[in-house]
Amino acid sequence: MTDERPPAVHGDVQEPRGGSGGFRFETRNWTWDDEDVRRGLPWMGVFLVVFGAILLIGQAYPGAHSLGSAITTAFGVALLVSWATGRGWGLYPGLLITAYSLPGLLIDLRIIPTGGGYGTFLFGAGLLAIAAIRFAARRTWGWQLIVGGILALAGGSEIASRLWPGVPALGDLLAPVILILLGVLILSRGFRR
């Protein structure tokens, strides 16, 4: 078997340049061959192995649950920081991991009471934040507004009904909130015109 590499790809690009004498075009050459392809470590595979191992350790040793939650939360926050500084792709994975693990850590540290709904609420709130960032940058909300609103409402409703008895259930709040979200969506499209 011979070790034949595919031929390198070459090309020219003409770029317009403006100056005091008018526009002119500069031609730049480029080359892309097999050596330019980065063959790095598949980080998604590393993440899945580490995350699965942490979950298994938490199941096998319940006392180690808070350590697993802390490591997982730190990993999620690291992905978010990497994305925020422009060095990574970890926005959605970081948001999901942090929303999943942070409530467990806060419950283990006895900062918040035991119960469900925290992860759903945090993930929804994160998607709403992404929708706001997207709107500020592109003047469009995206699917994050609708999905984030529903998740934040579902998680928030579960938390509120546990902490404050008598708070309306999600079913009672769903129709008005959907109407409000649709109204905001229509208004935002009207303001763009």
Side-chain angles (χ1 to χ4, degrees), residues 93-130:
L95 177 61
L96 181 62
I97 293 166
T98 305
Y100 173 77
S101 61
L102 182 60
L105 177 63
L106 295 177
I107 288 171
D108 289 343
L109 297 175
R110 293 185 172 88
I111 296 173
I112 59 175
T114 303
Y118 297 116
T120 305
F121 176 77
L122 286 176
F123 192 61
L127 288 176
L128 289 174
I130 291 171

Side-chain angles (χ1 to χ4, degrees), residues 114-170:
T114 303
Y118 297 116
T120 305
F121 176 77
L122 286 176
F123 192 61
L127 288 176
L128 289 174
I130 291 171
I133 292 169
R134 180 185 168 112
F135 182 76
R138 299 183 191 144
R139 297 287 180 224
T140 61
W141 289 104
W143 61 268
Q144 296 88 348
L145 177 68
I146 296 169
V147 174
I150 291 170
L151 290 176
L153 181 64
S157 174
E158 186 176 344
I159 295 167
S161 65
R162 188 178 58 255
L163 296 178
W164 302 290
V167 170
L170 177 62

Side-chain angles (χ1 to χ4, degrees), residues 172-188:
D172 298 335
L173 299 175
L174 192 58
V177 169
I178 288 175
L179 291 174
I180 290 171
L181 290 175
L182 286 174
V184 167
L185 187 64
I186 291 169
L187 286 173
S188 69

Side-chain angles (χ1 to χ4, degrees), residues 5-81:
R5 291 185 170 181
V9 178
H10 302 280
D12 296 326
V13 176
Q14 289 189 349
E15 298 177 347
R17 297 283 181 204
S20 60
F23 282 103
R24 60 188 169 91
F25 289 94
E26 290 182 8
T27 302
R28 296 182 186 250
N29 298 323
W30 59 270
T31 303
W32 185 47
D33 61 9
D34 215 20
E35 293 177 8
D36 292 329
V37 177
R38 293 178 17 186
R39 299 193 195 287
L41 194 59
W43 287 106
M44 185 55 79
V46 171
F47 159 71
L48 291 174
V49 168
V50 171
F51 191 59
I54 290 170
L55 291 175
L56 281 176
I57 290 171
Q59 293 294 325
Y61 303 103
H65 185 266
S66 59
L67 176 63
S69 295
I71 291 171
T72 308
T73 301
F75 182 67
V77 170
L79 285 173
L80 291 173
V81 168

